[in-house]
């Protein structure tokens, strides 16, 4: 199922998307605030783990395309991390450096909140951001997430968004 926002197309990730995703998920500098996937094989495994979660739970990160030209600009959305379980449903996003600063993360966060509240009827979401990633912290706060605490072992702030009520 594809979800359209004003400027983005969000759809489940296909195996054929992985090389384009690896172009930025495999870029150590671009992913300095998050998980860097060192090889194309690691990227395939990572995406496959999340797609397995989609089949099981009904949600996982989407491949994010620009509606203007169809280019893959990011990967993100709602997920329960199959590689670091226990944090509940999270909002996460990873964008190509060429897409930074265009408001795409804010647009994705809005679409994710609509999906979480409406279709999925989730009670809450979590998210993480490193303190030095001011842009991501701003996106989460604009979207209504509350910063709960710093998690030293992850070197990240934990955020929460209550959806019920």
């Amino acid at each position: 199922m594809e979800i359209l926002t004003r400027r983005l197309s969000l759809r489940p990730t296909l195996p054929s998307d992985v090389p384009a995703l690896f172009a930025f998920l495999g870029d150590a500098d671009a992913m300095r605030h998050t998980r860097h996937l060192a090889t194309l094989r690691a990227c395939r495994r990572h995406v496959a783990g999340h797609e397995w979660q989609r089949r099981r739970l009904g949600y996982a990160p989407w491949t994010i395309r620009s509606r203007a030209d169809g280019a893959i600009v990011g990967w993100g959305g709602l997920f329960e991390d199959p590689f670091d379980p226990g944090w509940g449903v999270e909002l996460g996003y990873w964008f190509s450096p060429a897409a930074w600063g265009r408001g795409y993360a804010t647009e994705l966060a809005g679409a994710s909140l609509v999906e979480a509240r409406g279709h999925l009827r989730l009670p809450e979401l979590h998210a993480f951001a490193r303190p030095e990633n001011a842009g991501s912290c701003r996106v989460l706060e604009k979207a209504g997430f509350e910063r709960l605490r710093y998690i030293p072992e992850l070197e990240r702030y934990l955020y929460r968004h209550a959806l019920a009520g």
Side-chain angles (χ1 to χ4, degrees):
M1 176 175 110
E2 181 181 36
I3 295 173
L4 299 175
T5 68
R6 187 170 67 83
R7 299 177 299 155
L8 303 173
S9 164
L10 314 172
R11 65 159 173 74
T13 302
L14 303 173
S16 59
D17 296 336
V18 175
L21 295 173
F22 179 65
F24 56 91
L25 294 174
D27 179 335
D29 186 53
M31 296 295 114
R32 67 187 171 276
H33 297 299
T34 186
R35 182 178 300 149
H36 157 245
L37 301 170
T39 65
L40 182 58
R41 181 179 180 179
C43 190
R44 280 193 170 94
R45 180 179 177 275
H46 191 76
V47 167
H50 281 281
E51 285 304 305
W52 177 80
Q53 290 286 66
R54 183 185 312 280
R55 290 187 297 279
R56 192 171 77 81
L57 302 171
Y59 53 88
W62 296 294
T63 291
I64 305 166
R65 291 181 174 269
S66 163
R67 289 182 68 184
D69 63 8
I72 292 176
V73 297
W75 189 64
L78 305 172
F79 64 94
E80 289 186 36
D81 194 332
F83 306 102
D84 187 14
W87 296 102
V89 183
E90 298 178 45
L91 169 65
Y93 40 83
W94 302 266
F95 285 93
S96 164
W100 293 354
R102 297 178 184 223
Y104 290 160
T106 298
E107 202 165 320
L108 172 70
S112 297
L113 288 168
V114 167
E115 184 74 4
R117 279 191 185 103
H119 177 72
L120 299 171
R121 299 191 181 283
L122 298 172
E124 68 180 13
L125 294 176
H126 291 103
F128 292 95
R130 290 190 184 268
E132 63 273 17
N133 190 349
S136 194
C137 294
R138 246 186 335 275
V139 165
L140 294 172
E141 290 164 6
K142 267 196 308 191
F145 281 79
E146 166 193 16
R147 186 168 57 198
L148 296 179
R149 68 185 182 278
Y150 182 74
I151 310 290
E153 60 272 22
L154 299 177
E155 300 178 333
R156 291 171 173 81
Y157 290 127
L158 170 64
Y159 287 83
R160 177 180 177 269
H161 193 306
L163 299 169

